[in-house]
Coordinates of all heavy atoms in Angstrom, one line a residue:
M16 N -29.4 -21.6 -18.0 CA -29.6 -20.6 -19.0 C -30.3 -21.2 -20.2 O -29.9 -22.3 -20.7 CB -28.2 -20.1 -19.4 CG -28.2 -19.0 -20.4 SD -26.5 -18.4 -20.7 CE -26.6 -18.1 -22.4
K17 N -31.3 -20.6 -20.7 CA -32.0 -21.0 -21.9 C -31.5 -20.4 -23.1 O -31.2 -19.2 -23.2 CB -33.5 -20.7 -21.7 CG -34.1 -21.5 -20.6 CD -35.6 -21.3 -20.6 CE -36.2 -22.1 -19.4 NZ -37.6 -21.9 -19.3
I18 N -31.3 -21.2 -24.1 CA -30.8 -20.7 -25.4 C -31.9 -21.0 -26.4 O -32.5 -22.1 -26.4 CB -29.5 -21.4 -25.8 CG1 -28.4 -21.0 -24.8 CG2 -29.1 -20.9 -27.2 CD1 -27.2 -21.8 -25.0
Y19 N -32.2 -20.1 -27.3 CA -33.2 -20.4 -28.4 C -32.6 -20.4 -29.7 O -31.7 -19.6 -30.1 CB -34.3 -19.3 -28.3 CG -35.1 -19.3 -27.0 CD1 -34.7 -18.4 -26.0 CD2 -36.1 -20.2 -26.8 CE1 -35.4 -18.4 -24.8 CE2 -36.8 -20.2 -25.6 CZ -36.5 -19.3 -24.6 OH -37.1 -19.3 -23.4
M20 N -33.1 -21.3 -30.5 CA -32.7 -21.4 -31.9 C -34.0 -21.4 -32.7 O -35.0 -21.6 -32.2 CB -32.0 -22.8 -32.2 CG -30.7 -23.0 -31.4 SD -29.3 -22.0 -31.8 CE -28.9 -22.8 -33.3
Y21 N -33.8 -21.1 -34.0 CA -35.0 -20.9 -34.9 C -34.9 -21.8 -36.1 O -34.0 -21.7 -36.9 CB -35.1 -19.4 -35.3 CG -35.2 -18.6 -34.1 CD1 -34.1 -18.0 -33.4 CD2 -36.5 -18.4 -33.5 CE1 -34.3 -17.3 -32.3 CE2 -36.6 -17.6 -32.4 CZ -35.5 -17.1 -31.7 OH -35.7 -16.4 -30.6
L22 N -35.8 -22.8 -36.1 CA -35.7 -23.9 -37.1 C -36.7 -23.6 -38.2 O -37.9 -23.3 -37.9 CB -36.1 -25.2 -36.4 CG -36.1 -26.5 -37.2 CD1 -34.7 -26.7 -37.8 CD2 -36.5 -27.6 -36.3
V23 N -36.2 -23.5 -39.4 CA -37.1 -23.3 -40.6 C -37.6 -24.7 -41.0 O -36.8 -25.6 -41.2 CB -36.3 -22.6 -41.7 CG1 -37.2 -22.5 -43.0 CG2 -35.9 -21.2 -41.3
M24 N -38.9 -24.8 -41.1 CA -39.5 -26.1 -41.5 C -40.2 -25.9 -42.8 O -40.8 -24.9 -43.1 CB -40.6 -26.5 -40.4 CG -40.0 -26.6 -39.0 SD -39.0 -28.0 -38.8 CE -40.2 -29.3 -38.7
S25 N -40.1 -27.0 -43.7 CA -40.9 -27.0 -44.9 C -42.2 -27.6 -44.7 O -42.4 -28.4 -43.8 CB -40.1 -27.8 -46.0 OG -40.2 -29.2 -45.7
D26 N -43.2 -27.1 -45.4 CA -44.6 -27.5 -45.3 C -45.0 -28.3 -46.5 O -44.8 -27.9 -47.6 CB -45.6 -26.4 -45.1 CG -45.2 -25.5 -43.9 OD1 -44.9 -26.0 -42.9 OD2 -45.2 -24.2 -44.1
L27 N -45.5 -29.5 -46.3 CA -45.9 -30.4 -47.4 C -47.2 -31.1 -47.0 O -47.3 -31.7 -46.0 CB -44.9 -31.4 -47.8 CG -45.2 -32.4 -48.8 CD1 -45.5 -31.8 -50.2 CD2 -44.2 -33.5 -48.9
D28 N -48.3 -31.0 -47.8 CA -49.5 -31.8 -47.6 C -49.3 -33.1 -48.4 O -48.9 -33.0 -49.5 CB -50.7 -31.0 -48.1 CG -51.0 -29.8 -47.3 OD1 -50.6 -29.7 -46.2 OD2 -51.7 -28.9 -47.8
V29 N -49.7 -34.2 -47.8 CA -49.7 -35.5 -48.4 C -51.2 -35.9 -48.5 O -52.0 -35.6 -47.6 CB -48.8 -36.5 -47.8 CG1 -47.4 -36.1 -47.9 CG2 -49.2 -36.7 -46.3
D30 N -51.5 -36.8 -49.5 CA -52.8 -37.3 -49.6 C -53.0 -38.4 -48.5 O -52.3 -39.3 -48.4 CB -52.9 -37.9 -51.0 CG -54.3 -38.4 -51.4 OD1 -55.1 -38.6 -50.4 OD2 -54.6 -38.5 -52.6
G31 N -54.1 -38.2 -47.8 CA -54.4 -39.1 -46.7 C -55.1 -40.4 -47.1 O -55.5 -41.2 -46.3
G32 N -55.3 -40.6 -48.4 CA -55.9 -41.8 -48.9 C -57.3 -41.6 -49.5 O -57.8 -42.4 -50.2
F33 N -57.9 -40.5 -49.0 CA -59.3 -40.2 -49.5 C -59.3 -38.8 -50.2 O -60.4 -38.2 -50.3 CB -60.3 -40.2 -48.3 CG -60.4 -41.6 -47.7 CD1 -59.7 -41.9 -46.5 CD2 -61.2 -42.6 -48.3 CE1 -59.8 -43.1 -45.9 CE2 -61.3 -43.9 -47.7 CZ -60.6 -44.1 -46.5
G34 N -58.1 -38.4 -50.6 CA -58.0 -37.1 -51.2 C -57.9 -35.9 -50.2 O -57.9 -34.8 -50.6
D35 N -57.9 -36.3 -48.9 CA -57.8 -35.3 -47.9 C -56.3 -34.9 -47.6 O -55.4 -35.7 -47.8 CB -58.4 -35.7 -46.5 CG -57.8 -37.1 -46.1 OD1 -57.4 -37.9 -46.9 OD2 -57.8 -37.3 -44.9
A36 N -56.1 -33.6 -47.3 CA -54.7 -33.1 -47.1 C -54.3 -33.3 -45.7 O -54.9 -32.9 -44.7 CB -54.7 -31.6 -47.4
I37 N -53.2 -34.0 -45.5 CA -52.5 -34.3 -44.3 C -51.2 -33.4 -44.2 O -50.3 -33.7 -45.0 CB -52.2 -35.8 -44.1 CG1 -53.4 -36.7 -44.3 CG2 -51.5 -36.0 -42.7 CD1 -54.5 -36.5 -43.3
P38 N -51.2 -32.4 -43.4 CA -50.0 -31.5 -43.3 C -48.8 -32.3 -42.7 O -49.0 -33.0 -41.7 CB -50.5 -30.3 -42.5 CG -51.7 -30.8 -41.7 CD -52.3 -31.9 -42.5
T39 N -47.7 -32.1 -43.3 CA -46.4 -32.7 -42.7 C -45.4 -31.5 -42.7 O -45.6 -30.5 -43.4 CB -45.9 -33.9 -43.5 OG1 -45.5 -33.4 -44.8 CG2 -46.9 -35.0 -43.6
K40 N -44.3 -31.7 -42.0 CA -43.3 -30.7 -42.0 C -42.0 -31.4 -41.8 O -41.9 -32.6 -41.3 CB -43.5 -29.7 -40.9 CG -43.6 -30.3 -39.5 CD -43.9 -29.2 -38.5 CE -44.1 -29.8 -37.1 NZ -44.4 -28.8 -36.1
E41 N -40.9 -30.8 -42.3 CA -39.6 -31.4 -42.3 C -38.6 -30.2 -42.1 O -38.7 -29.2 -42.6 CB -39.3 -32.1 -43.6 CG -38.0 -32.8 -43.7 CD -37.9 -33.6 -45.0 OE1 -38.9 -34.4 -45.3 OE2 -36.9 -33.5 -45.6
P42 N -37.5 -30.4 -41.2 CA -36.6 -29.4 -41.0 C -35.7 -29.1 -42.2 O -35.4 -30.0 -43.0 CB -35.7 -29.9 -39.9 CG -35.9 -31.4 -39.9 CD -37.3 -31.7 -40.5
V43 N -35.4 -27.8 -42.4 CA -34.6 -27.4 -43.6 C -33.3 -26.8 -43.1 O -32.2 -27.2 -43.6 CB -35.4 -26.3 -44.4 CG1 -34.6 -25.8 -45.5 CG2 -36.7 -26.9 -44.9
I44 N -33.3 -25.8 -42.2 CA -32.1 -25.1 -41.8 C -32.4 -24.5 -40.4 O -33.5 -24.2 -40.0 CB -31.7 -24.0 -42.8 CG1 -30.3 -23.5 -42.5 CG2 -32.7 -22.9 -42.9 CD1 -29.7 -22.7 -43.7
L45 N -31.3 -24.3 -39.6 CA -31.4 -23.8 -38.2 C -30.6 -22.5 -38.2 O -29.5 -22.4 -38.7 CB -30.8 -24.9 -37.3 CG -30.9 -24.6 -35.8 CD1 -32.3 -24.7 -35.3 CD2 -30.1 -25.7 -35.1
F46 N -31.2 -21.5 -37.4 CA -30.6 -20.2 -37.3 C -30.4 -19.9 -35.8 O -31.3 -20.3 -35.0 CB -31.4 -19.1 -38.0 CG -31.3 -19.2 -39.5 CD1 -32.3 -19.9 -40.2 CD2 -30.4 -18.5 -40.2 CE1 -32.3 -19.9 -41.5 CE2 -30.3 -18.6 -41.6 CZ -31.3 -19.3 -42.2
H47 N -29.4 -19.1 -35.5 CA -29.3 -18.5 -34.1 C -30.2 -17.3 -33.9 O -30.5 -17.0 -32.7 CB -27.8 -18.1 -33.8 CG -26.9 -19.3 -33.8 ND1 -26.8 -20.1 -32.7 CD2 -26.0 -19.7 -34.6 CE1 -25.9 -21.0 -32.9 NE2 -25.3 -20.8 -34.1
H48 N -30.5 -16.6 -34.9 CA -31.2 -15.4 -34.8 C -32.6 -15.5 -35.5 O -32.6 -15.9 -36.7 CB -30.4 -14.2 -35.4 CG -29.1 -14.0 -34.7 ND1 -29.0 -13.5 -33.5 CD2 -27.9 -14.3 -35.1 CE1 -27.7 -13.5 -33.1 NE2 -27.0 -14.0 -34.1
K49 N -33.6 -15.0 -34.8 CA -35.0 -15.1 -35.4 C -35.1 -14.3 -36.7 O -35.7 -14.7 -37.7 CB -36.0 -14.6 -34.4 CG -37.4 -14.6 -34.8 CD -38.3 -14.1 -33.7 CE -39.8 -14.2 -34.2 NZ -40.7 -13.7 -33.1
K50 N -34.5 -13.1 -36.7 CA -34.5 -12.2 -37.9 C -34.0 -13.0 -39.1 O -34.6 -12.9 -40.2 CB -33.8 -11.0 -37.6 CG -33.9 -10.0 -38.8 CD -33.1 -8.7 -38.4 CE -33.3 -7.7 -39.6 NZ -32.6 -6.5 -39.3
L51 N -32.9 -13.7 -39.0 CA -32.3 -14.4 -40.1 C -33.2 -15.5 -40.6 O -33.3 -15.7 -41.8 CB -30.9 -15.0 -39.7 CG -29.8 -13.9 -39.4 CD1 -28.6 -14.7 -39.0 CD2 -29.5 -13.1 -40.7
A52 N -33.8 -16.2 -39.7 CA -34.8 -17.3 -40.0 C -36.0 -16.7 -40.8 O -36.4 -17.2 -41.8 CB -35.2 -18.0 -38.8
E53 N -36.5 -15.6 -40.3 CA -37.6 -15.0 -41.0 C -37.3 -14.4 -42.4 O -38.1 -14.5 -43.3 CB -38.2 -13.8 -40.1 CG -38.9 -14.4 -38.9 CD -39.3 -13.3 -37.9 OE1 -38.8 -12.1 -38.0 OE2 -40.1 -13.6 -37.0
E54 N -36.1 -13.9 -42.5 CA -35.6 -13.4 -43.8 C -35.5 -14.6 -44.8 O -35.8 -14.5 -46.0 CB -34.3 -12.7 -43.7 CG -34.4 -11.3 -43.1 CD -33.1 -10.7 -42.8 OE1 -32.0 -11.3 -43.1 OE2 -33.1 -9.6 -42.2
Y55 N -35.0 -15.7 -44.3 CA -34.8 -16.9 -45.1 C -36.2 -17.4 -45.6 O -36.4 -17.7 -46.8 CB -34.1 -18.0 -44.3 CG -33.9 -19.3 -45.1 CD1 -32.8 -19.5 -45.9 CD2 -34.9 -20.3 -45.2 CE1 -32.5 -20.6 -46.6 CE2 -34.7 -21.5 -45.9 CZ -33.5 -21.6 -46.6 OH -33.3 -22.7 -47.4
V56 N -37.2 -17.4 -44.7 CA -38.5 -17.8 -45.1 C -39.1 -16.9 -46.1 O -39.7 -17.3 -47.1 CB -39.4 -17.9 -43.8 CG1 -40.9 -18.1 -44.2 CG2 -39.0 -19.1 -43.0
K57 N -39.0 -15.6 -45.9 CA -39.5 -14.6 -46.8 C -39.0 -14.8 -48.2 O -39.7 -14.7 -49.2 CB -39.3 -13.2 -46.3 CG -39.9 -12.1 -47.1 CD -39.7 -10.7 -46.4 CE -40.3 -9.6 -47.3 NZ -40.1 -8.3 -46.7
K58 N -37.7 -15.0 -48.3 CA -37.0 -15.2 -49.5 C -37.3 -16.5 -50.3 O -37.4 -16.5 -51.5 CB -35.5 -15.0 -49.3 CG -34.7 -15.1 -50.6 CD -33.2 -14.9 -50.3 CE -32.4 -15.0 -51.6 NZ -31.0 -15.0 -51.4
N59 N -37.5 -17.6 -49.5 CA -37.5 -18.9 -50.1 C -38.9 -19.6 -50.0 O -39.1 -20.7 -50.7 CB -36.5 -19.8 -49.4 CG -35.1 -19.3 -49.7 OD1 -34.6 -19.4 -50.8 ND2 -34.4 -18.8 -48.7
S60 N -39.8 -19.1 -49.3 CA -41.1 -19.7 -49.2 C -41.9 -19.5 -50.5 O -42.1 -18.3 -50.9 CB -41.9 -19.2 -48.0 OG -43.1 -19.9 -47.8
N61 N -42.4 -20.5 -51.1 CA -43.2 -20.4 -52.3 C -44.3 -21.5 -52.3 O -44.2 -22.4 -53.1 CB -42.3 -20.6 -53.5 CG -43.0 -20.3 -54.8 OD1 -44.0 -19.7 -54.8 ND2 -42.5 -20.8 -55.9
P62 N -45.3 -21.3 -51.4 CA -46.4 -22.3 -51.4 C -47.2 -22.3 -52.7 O -47.5 -21.3 -53.3 CB -47.2 -21.9 -50.2 CG -46.9 -20.5 -50.0 CD -45.6 -20.2 -50.5
R63 N -47.5 -23.6 -53.2 CA -48.3 -23.7 -54.4 C -49.0 -25.1 -54.3 O -48.6 -26.0 -53.6 CB -47.4 -23.7 -55.6 CG -46.3 -24.8 -55.6 CD -45.2 -24.5 -56.6 NE -44.0 -25.4 -56.4 CZ -43.1 -25.1 -55.6 NH1 -43.1 -24.1 -54.8 NH2 -42.1 -26.0 -55.4
V64 N -50.1 -25.1 -55.0 CA -50.9 -26.4 -55.1 C -50.2 -27.3 -56.1 O -49.9 -26.9 -57.2 CB -52.3 -26.1 -55.5 CG1 -53.1 -27.4 -55.7 CG2 -53.0 -25.2 -54.5
Y65 N -49.9 -28.5 -55.7 CA -49.3 -29.5 -56.6 C -50.2 -30.6 -57.0 O -49.9 -31.3 -58.0 CB -48.0 -30.0 -56.0 CG -48.2 -31.1 -54.9 CD1 -48.2 -32.4 -55.2 CD2 -48.3 -30.7 -53.6 CE1 -48.4 -33.4 -54.2 CE2 -48.4 -31.6 -52.6 CZ -48.5 -33.0 -52.9 OH -48.6 -33.9 -51.9
D66 N -51.4 -30.7 -56.3 CA -52.4 -31.7 -56.7 C -53.7 -31.4 -56.0 O -53.7 -30.7 -55.0 CB -51.9 -33.1 -56.3 CG -52.6 -34.3 -57.0 OD1 -53.4 -34.0 -57.9 OD2 -52.4 -35.4 -56.6
V67 N -54.8 -31.9 -56.6 CA -56.1 -31.6 -56.1 C -56.9 -32.9 -56.2 O -57.9 -33.0 -57.0 CB -56.8 -30.5 -56.8 CG1 -58.2 -30.2 -56.1 CG2 -56.0 -29.3 -56.9
P68 N -56.6 -34.0 -55.4 CA -57.4 -35.2 -55.4 C -58.8 -34.9 -54.8 O -59.8 -35.5 -55.3 CB -56.7 -36.2 -54.6 CG -55.8 -35.4 -53.7 CD -55.5 -34.1 -54.5
Y69 N -58.9 -34.1 -53.8 CA -60.2 -33.7 -53.2 C -59.9 -32.3 -52.6 O -60.4 -31.3 -53.0 CB -60.7 -34.6 -52.1 CG -62.0 -34.2 -51.5 CD1 -63.2 -34.2 -52.2 CD2 -62.0 -33.7 -50.2 CE1 -64.4 -33.8 -51.6 CE2 -63.2 -33.3 -49.6 CZ -64.3 -33.3 -50.3 OH -65.5 -32.9 -49.7
D70 N -59.0 -32.3 -51.5 CA -58.5 -31.0 -51.0 C -57.3 -30.6 -51.8 O -56.7 -31.4 -52.5 CB -58.0 -31.2 -49.5 CG -59.1 -31.4 -48.5 OD1 -60.3 -31.0 -48.8 OD2 -58.9 -32.0 -47.5
N71 N -57.0 -29.3 -51.7 CA -55.8 -28.8 -52.4 C -54.6 -29.3 -51.6 O -54.6 -29.2 -50.3 CB -55.8 -27.3 -52.4 CG -56.7 -26.7 -53.3 OD1 -57.2 -27.3 -54.2 ND2 -57.0 -25.4 -53.1
L72 N -53.6 -29.9 -52.2 CA -52.4 -30.3 -51.6 C -51.3 -29.3 -51.9 O -51.0 -29.0 -53.1 CB -52.0 -31.7 -52.1 CG -53.0 -32.8 -51.9 CD1 -52.4 -34.1 -52.4 CD2 -53.4 -33.0 -50.4
Y73 N -50.7 -28.7 -50.9 CA -49.7 -27.7 -51.0 C -48.3 -28.2 -50.8 O -48.1 -29.1 -50.0 CB -49.9 -26.5 -50.1 CG -51.1 -25.7 -50.4 CD1 -52.4 -26.0 -49.9 CD2 -51.0 -24.6 -51.2 CE1 -53.5 -25.3 -50.2 CE2 -52.1 -23.8 -51.5 CZ -53.4 -24.2 -51.0 OH -54.5 -23.4 -51.4
E74 N -47.3 -27.6 -51.4 CA -45.9 -27.8 -51.2 C -45.2 -26.5 -51.3 O -45.7 -25.5 -51.8 CB -45.3 -28.8 -52.2 CG -45.3 -28.3 -53.7 CD -44.7 -29.2 -54.7 OE1 -44.3 -30.3 -54.3 OE2 -44.7 -28.9 -55.9
G75 N -43.9 -26.4 -50.8 CA -43.1 -25.3 -51.0 C -43.2 -24.2 -50.0 O -42.4 -23.2 -50.1
G76 N -44.1 -24.4 -49.0 CA -44.2 -23.3 -48.0 C -43.1 -23.6 -46.9 O -42.6 -24.7 -46.7
L77 N -42.8 -22.5 -46.2 CA -41.8 -22.6 -45.1 C -42.4 -21.8 -43.9 O -43.1 -20.9 -44.1 CB -40.5 -22.0 -45.5 CG -39.7 -22.6 -46.6 CD1 -38.5 -21.7 -47.0 CD2 -39.3 -24.0 -46.3
H78 N -42.0 -22.2 -42.7 CA -42.3 -21.5 -41.5 C -41.2 -21.6 -40.5 O -40.4 -22.5 -40.6 CB -43.7 -21.9 -40.9 CG -43.7 -23.3 -40.3 ND1 -43.9 -24.4 -41.0 CD2 -43.6 -23.6 -39.0 CE1 -43.8 -25.5 -40.2 NE2 -43.6 -25.0 -39.0
V79 N -41.2 -20.8 -39.4 CA -40.2 -20.8 -38.4 C -40.8 -21.4 -37.1 O -41.9 -21.0 -36.7 CB -39.6 -19.4 -38.1 CG1 -38.6 -19.4 -37.0 CG2 -39.0 -18.8 -39.4
E80 N -40.0 -22.2 -36.5 CA -40.4 -22.7 -35.2 C -39.3 -22.4 -34.2 O -38.1 -22.6 -34.5 CB -40.6 -24.2 -35.2 CG -41.8 -24.7 -36.0 CD -42.1 -26.1 -35.9 OE1 -41.5 -26.9 -35.1 OE2 -43.0 -26.6 -36.7
K81 N -39.6 -21.9 -33.0 CA -38.7 -21.5 -32.0 C -38.4 -22.8 -31.2 O -39.3 -23.5 -30.7 CB -39.3 -20.4 -31.1 CG -38.4 -19.9 -30.0 CD -39.1 -18.8 -29.2 CE -38.2 -18.2 -28.2 NZ -38.9 -17.2 -27.5
V82 N -37.1 -23.1 -31.0 CA -36.7 -24.3 -30.3 C -35.9 -23.9 -29.1 O -34.9 -23.1 -29.2 CB -35.8 -25.2 -31.2 CG1 -35.3 -26.4 -30.4 CG2 -36.6 -25.6 -32.4
E83 N -36.2 -24.3 -27.9 CA -35.5 -24.0 -26.7 C -34.5 -25.1 -26.4 O -34.8 -26.3 -26.4 CB -36.5 -23.9 -25.5 CG -35.9 -23.6 -24.2 CD -37.0 -23.5 -23.1 OE1 -38.1 -23.1 -23.3 OE2 -36.6 -24.0 -22.0
L84 N -33.3 -24.6 -26.1 CA -32.2 -25.5 -25.7 C -31.8 -25.2 -24.3 O -31.9 -24.1 -23.8 CB -31.0 -25.3 -26.6 CG -31.2 -25.5 -28.1 CD1 -30.0 -25.2 -28.9 CD2 -31.7 -26.9 -28.5
G85 N -31.2 -26.2 -23.6 CA -30.8 -26.0 -22.2 C -31.8 -26.5 -21.2 O -32.8 -27.1 -21.6
D86 N -31.5 -26.2 -19.9 CA -32.4 -26.8 -18.9 C -33.2 -25.7 -18.2 O -33.5 -24.7 -18.3 CB -31.6 -27.5 -17.8 CG -30.2 -26.9 -17.5 OD1 -29.7 -26.2 -18.3 OD2 -29.7 -27.3 -16.5

């Protein structure tokens, strides 16, 4: 039996050394229901530019990733 969870990830661009944006992500919170995860993202996601060495570097964004559990 497959079980699905919905992982909210934060989005953060880091400077790659030449001013280029390297996207990274980090887990924030896990939900059993997709709708709850999407509501959390809608309420809390606030992407904004925090630096511009060459590319725009963004922080504060959130997205949902579906995670499969079980065999």
Side-chain angles (χ1 to χ4, degrees):
M16 181 173 144
K17 294 183 182 181
I18 298 171
Y19 296 99
M20 302 288 287
Y21 300 91
L22 183 59
V23 175
M24 302 289 283
S25 69
D26 302 316
L27 173 67
D28 292 340
V29 295
D30 188 336
F33 298 100
D35 53 331
I37 307 295
T39 65
K40 57 186 179 180
E41 188 173 308
V43 176
I44 191 167
L45 186 66
F46 290 93
H47 290 284
H48 302 286
K49 183 178 181 180
K50 183 178 180 181
L51 294 175
E53 289 173 343
E54 288 173 0
Y55 182 91
V56 167
K57 185 176 180 180
K58 181 178 179 183
N59 296 292
S60 185
N61 185 22
R63 60 195 166 276
V64 175
Y65 75 92
D66 198 7
V67 186
Y69 180 73
D70 287 337
N71 289 340
L72 302 180
Y73 288 89
E74 67 179 357
L77 299 172
H78 70 277
V79 177
E80 292 186 9
K81 184 177 181 180
V82 178
E83 181 180 321
L84 304 176
D86 37 341

